[in-house]
Amino acid sequence: MNPAFKDIPNSFNWIKVEEVNKGWSKDKKYYVHTDDDTSLLLRTSDITMFNRKKQEFEEIRQLEKMGLIMSRPMDFGVCNEGHSVYGLYTWVEGEDAQQVIPHLTVNQQYHLGIEAGQSLRTMHQIPAGDGRQSWAESYNAKIDMYISNYYACGIPLKGANRLVDYISHNRHLLENRPQSFQHGDYHIGNMIVTPSGSLGIIDFNRMGHGDPWQEFNRISWCAGQSHSFASGRINGYFHNQVPDLFFKLMALYVASNQLSSIHWAIPFGQEEVKNMLERAEQVLEWYDGFRTYIPNWYKPDSSTLS
């Protein structure tokens, strides 16, 4: 047993603790198996993250009441002799969605996408609360930073001017947007296909508040694995009544995310920069260089799947 965990209540009942090396979070994650055959997820962070992690734990408690398949909060506190903060959650049994979904039929992929959209809509029922900066002001500041960082990093993306042009011409759409709870990193890489074939949602560590439709900014990760899943995610969220404004805003958020991802990737090495450039090029192709705001992979209903 890691001595850093000895001051976590009931840790003496843990018979197996294995580090989970998955994802981009700075948290340390562990699979825990207890002597009563229970599987748990342990997340630890530096003690300086105490307030942030406490808020995260409390907000996940709100989500727990909504019937989602997710890691449910069990315990929160300080460990490692006061140097770390921990959160203990139930473990979601199953396999990584990005490994499973591409091997399913297109109809199965689509219906799991429907589940993903419905789960996201459920999360967005939690309001952001009063006294927040307007979304237009908040996100426009991010856009300015994304564009500045891209040009400053000196890594060329063929077609970047088309991303910037679309963003610049559609920033007015950010006015008067509502704000709600956000998962913060909602895509196929943070989903689990359970043994029963349902979809579970994991990794809420980037949660925050903002325009609920911004949660589609990473849908390119879903579409890269399955066009049917990505289409189902949109249709499930809107109960098959997708407003035109949504596609315009999704394109804005996707363009912003692709532009920012190039600068973001630099600390992770040349291979990750290459991956982000390739994905941005793919996104440009899906949107015909942002001459359109509906990606070419989108299917309006299951009858158009192929």
Side-chain angles (χ1 to χ4, degrees):
M1 170 68 66
N2 189 325
F5 306 150
K6 64 181 175 60
D7 41 2
I8 297 177
N10 299 315
S11 60
F12 58 86
N13 293 324
W14 299 353
I15 58 176
K16 180 192 289 186
V17 180
E18 296 177 347
E19 189 164 2
V20 179
N21 296 307
K22 177 180 179 290
W24 300 100
S25 170
K26 293 181 179 178
D27 290 359
K28 288 188 175 181
K29 297 183 286 186
Y30 303 88
Y31 168 79
V32 175
H33 196 74
T34 70
D35 59 7
D36 64 353
D37 202 29
T38 300
S39 296
L40 303 172
L41 170 67
L42 172 68
R43 303 185 74 114
T44 66
S45 308
D46 188 81
I47 192 63
T48 56
M49 297 293 291
F50 181 89
N51 290 336
R52 162 70 185 177
K53 291 301 171 181
K54 184 177 181 182
Q55 179 189 7
E56 181 181 313
F57 190 84
E58 293 301 325
E59 295 223 32
I60 293 174
R61 271 188 167 162
Q62 291 187 59
L63 283 175
E64 182 185 12
K65 305 168 187 174
M66 296 184 157
L68 300 172
I69 301 173
M70 55 178 282
S71 294
R72 301 185 181 281
M74 296 184 65
D75 190 25
F76 173 85
V78 174
C79 64
N80 193 19
E81 298 181 338
H83 296 292
S84 302
V85 58
Y86 74 89
L88 197 61
Y89 303 85
T90 58
W91 183 267
V92 180
E93 296 289 350
E95 297 181 70
D96 290 353
Q98 60 187 344
Q99 302 298 325
V100 175
I101 286 175
H103 301 290
L104 302 176
T105 68
V106 292
N107 275 301
Q108 289 172 324
Q109 293 173 26
Y110 181 78
H111 286 290
L112 281 173
I114 293 284
E115 281 192 45
Q118 291 172 341
S119 293
L120 186 61
R121 190 178 184 95
T122 297
M123 291 182 207
H124 291 163
Q125 293 174 16
I126 298 177
D130 299 328
R132 307 193 67 83
Q133 184 182 37
S134 78
W135 181 244
E137 187 176 355
S138 172
Y139 199 76
N140 271 311
K142 288 187 177 182
I143 287 174
D144 291 340
M145 179 180 66
Y146 295 158
I147 293 173
S148 175
N149 285 346
Y150 168 72
Y151 285 120
C153 78
I155 300 173
L157 166 66
K158 185 178 180 181
N161 61 313
R162 293 191 177 276
L163 290 172
V164 173
D165 285 349
Y166 183 85
I167 293 167
S168 299
H169 292 147
N170 289 279
R171 291 167 74 136
H172 65 281
L173 299 176
L174 299 169
E175 296 290 341
N176 302 314
R177 292 297 303 155
Q179 297 188 59
S180 71
F181 171 90
Q182 292 180 324
H183 175 280
D185 198 17
Y186 200 78
H187 61 78
I188 195 170
N190 286 328
M191 299 174 187
I192 298 290
V193 178
T194 69
S196 66
S198 296
L199 198 74
I201 312 302
I202 61 173
D203 283 355
F204 287 81
N205 60 288
R206 293 187 180 177
M207 58 177 238
H209 302 89
D211 179 359
W213 293 359
Q214 191 214 359
E215 296 262 55
F216 290 84
N217 65 343
R218 290 172 171 82
I219 200 168
S220 56
W221 295 99
C222 300
Q225 295 286 326
S226 167
H227 294 177
S228 299
F229 178 81
S231 297
R233 184 181 150 188
I234 293 170
N235 296 337
Y237 186 90
F238 289 101
H239 304 300
N240 296 311
Q241 301 293 322
V242 189
D244 193 58
L245 175 61
F246 165 77
F247 285 111
K248 293 178 180 178
L249 269 166
M250 183 176 81
L252 171 66
Y253 292 134
V254 167
S256 300
N257 191 64
Q258 295 309 142
L259 199 64
S260 69
S261 68
I262 297 167
H263 176 267
W264 169 87
I266 293 173
F268 299 101
Q270 188 57 40
E271 188 62 27
E272 196 58 37
V273 171
K274 179 174 175 285
N275 290 341
M276 292 301 105
L277 286 171
E278 288 175 353
R279 185 164 298 278
E281 290 167 2
Q282 187 177 44
V283 167
L284 281 158
E285 181 181 336
W286 287 337
Y287 281 94
D288 189 24
F290 280 84
R291 295 179 183 89
T292 181
Y293 52 82
I294 299 179
N296 62 14
W297 49 257
Y298 173 69
K299 306 296 182 182
D301 56 64
S302 59
S303 68
T304 57
L305 299 178
S306 59

